[in-house]
Amino acid sequence: MWERSGRWPSTPYRDRSAKRRGGIPDTSRTPIRAALCAVLVLGGASACSDDQGAGKRPDALSAPQVCDGALSSTGAEALDRIGGTERFTEIQIADDPDYRWSLKQAAKDLQADYTDVHECLLYKASDKSGLPLVTIRFSSDSQHPDPAEDEDGDRLLFPIGLYAAADENFGTSLYFACPAEGPEGRTPYVKAEMYGARNQVDPASTAEDRMTVLNDVSRALAEEAGCASEANLPAKLPAPTSG
C-alpha cells in the first residue's frame, strides 16, 4: 500500500492482496515492472535492461483519449483541472511501444485472476520527471468498507457505489458491486483507487474532480465487465454526503 509520501493512502481495512498471493507478489502478472520501465522512458533513460530497448516517448493525448476513452466530457474537464494541462501521456512499456491500457483487457483480467491489479498511469505531457500525475487501478475484492462506520473527518464521502471517499492527501477510493470469477472462487466487488502525486496535481483542483475521474473510469469498466446495472455508478457525480 502506498503511504502519504507519494504512496497509496491507507484504507479502512488492510489490503489482503499479498495474502491471496501467498505473501509473494507475482511480478510477472503485475504492472510493477511496466511502471518502472515507463519511469525510465519518460525520465530519459536509454534502456530498461534485458536488451529490450529504450522505447520512444509516448504521444501526447487529450483527456478524452486517456484510459481507453473512459472519460465523459465532465470527467475530461476534471482531469484537465487536476493536471493544470490539457495534454497527457500514458504508461509506455519499453519493449512494447504500442501498448495501451484497455477497458476490455482490464475487465477480462479481473475475471481471470482476482489477485491482479490493473493500472492506468497518466503523466503530464510537458513533465519530464517520470512521476505520474495520477495512477488509477482496479482489483477484485471480497469485502468493502461501510460508509456509515467511517468516522475519519479527513475523508469526503460520496453516495456512489458501495463506498466512495476522497482524502486530503490526494487519495481517492471507490468500491462497487461487480462479481468476478477467479481461479480461487468468486469475488463480489471491485476496488477502484486513484492517487495523485502532490507535486504533480494542480492545487486548485478538488476532491470532486478526482472522484469524477475515478467514477467515470469505474463506470466504463463496469459497463465492459457487464455489471453496470448493479454497480451504482451514475453518469453525473452527486454532491458529497460528508466533509
Side-chain angles (χ1 to χ4, degrees), residues 13 20 70 101 103 106-108 110-111 114 118 136-147 158-165 172-180 186-194 211-234 237:
Y13 67 90
R20 296 188 194 126
W101 182 87
L103 291 164
K108 179 180 178 181
L110 280 173
Q111 294 168 358
Y114 69 82
H118 313 281
I136 302 171
R137 72 181 197 171
F138 297 92
S139 58
S140 293
D141 214 316
S142 59
Q143 56 185 314
H144 66 85
D146 184 346
F158 294 82
I160 62 174
L162 296 164
Y163 175 87
T172 310
S173 59
L174 169 59
Y175 292 74
F176 58 94
C178 192
R186 183 180 179 88
T187 53
Y189 313 118
V190 167
K191 177 183 182 180
E193 298 172 278
M194 183 170 79
M211 188 59 76
T212 294
V213 170
L214 186 58
N215 179 63
D216 268 8
V217 184
S218 298
R219 178 181 169 86
L221 180 64
E223 290 176 351
E224 182 65 43
C227 59
S229 62
E230 56 193 302
N232 187 30
L233 301 175
L237 184 70

Side-chain angles (χ1 to χ4, degrees), residues 1-11 15 117-121 134-138 167 169-173 191-196 214:
M1 297 293 288
W2 288 15
E3 297 174 353
R4 297 192 177 191
S5 57
R7 301 179 180 177
W8 286 102
S10 60
T11 52
D15 188 342
V117 172
H118 313 281
E119 298 180 337
C120 180
L121 277 75
V134 295
T135 302
I136 302 171
R137 72 181 197 171
F138 297 92
D167 67 33
N169 295 297
F170 305 108
T172 310
S173 59
K191 177 183 182 180
E193 298 172 278
M194 183 170 79
Y195 184 77
L214 186 58

Side-chain angles (χ1 to χ4, degrees), residues 13-188:
Y13 67 90
R14 191 177 69 176
D15 188 342
R16 293 171 172 76
S17 59
K19 182 178 180 180
R20 296 188 194 126
R21 298 185 182 95
I24 302 176
D26 183 355
T27 55
S28 68
R29 297 185 58 83
T30 61
I32 295 174
R33 184 180 182 282
L36 177 59
C37 291
V39 170
L40 292 173
V41 170
L42 290 169
S46 60
C48 196
S49 75
D50 299 331
D51 299 322
Q52 292 175 333
K56 63 179 181 180
R57 186 173 178 82
D59 296 332
L61 305 169
S62 65
Q65 294 176 303
V66 304
C67 296
D68 201 12
L71 298 182
S72 65
S73 58
T74 302
E77 292 171 359
L79 181 61
D80 288 346
R81 289 192 294 271
I82 290 170
T85 181
E86 296 181 354
R87 306 299 287 172
F88 307 89
T89 57
E90 289 187 9
I91 186 174
Q92 183 173 11
I93 301 175
D95 58 347
D96 187 2
D98 296 322
Y99 170 83
R100 288 286 302 279
W101 182 87
S102 75
L103 291 164
K104 181 177 181 180
Q105 189 62 45
K108 179 180 178 181
D109 288 347
L110 280 173
Q111 294 168 358
D113 186 349
Y114 69 82
T115 64
D116 272 357
V117 172
H118 313 281
E119 298 180 337
C120 180
L121 277 75
L122 302 179
Y123 303 79
K124 292 190 285 189
S126 61
D127 186 78
K128 295 180 173 60
S129 69
L131 298 175
L133 168 66
V134 295
T135 302
I136 302 171
R137 72 181 197 171
F138 297 92
S139 58
S140 293
D141 214 316
S142 59
Q143 56 185 314
H144 66 85
D146 184 346
E149 297 178 359
D150 191 333
E151 299 179 354
D152 189 334
D154 292 335
R155 280 196 281 264
L156 193 64
L157 301 181
F158 294 82
I160 62 174
L162 296 164
Y163 175 87
D167 67 33
E168 61 180 7
N169 295 297
F170 305 108
T172 310
S173 59
L174 169 59
Y175 292 74
F176 58 94
C178 192
E181 293 289 347
E184 297 185 31
R186 183 180 179 88
T187 53

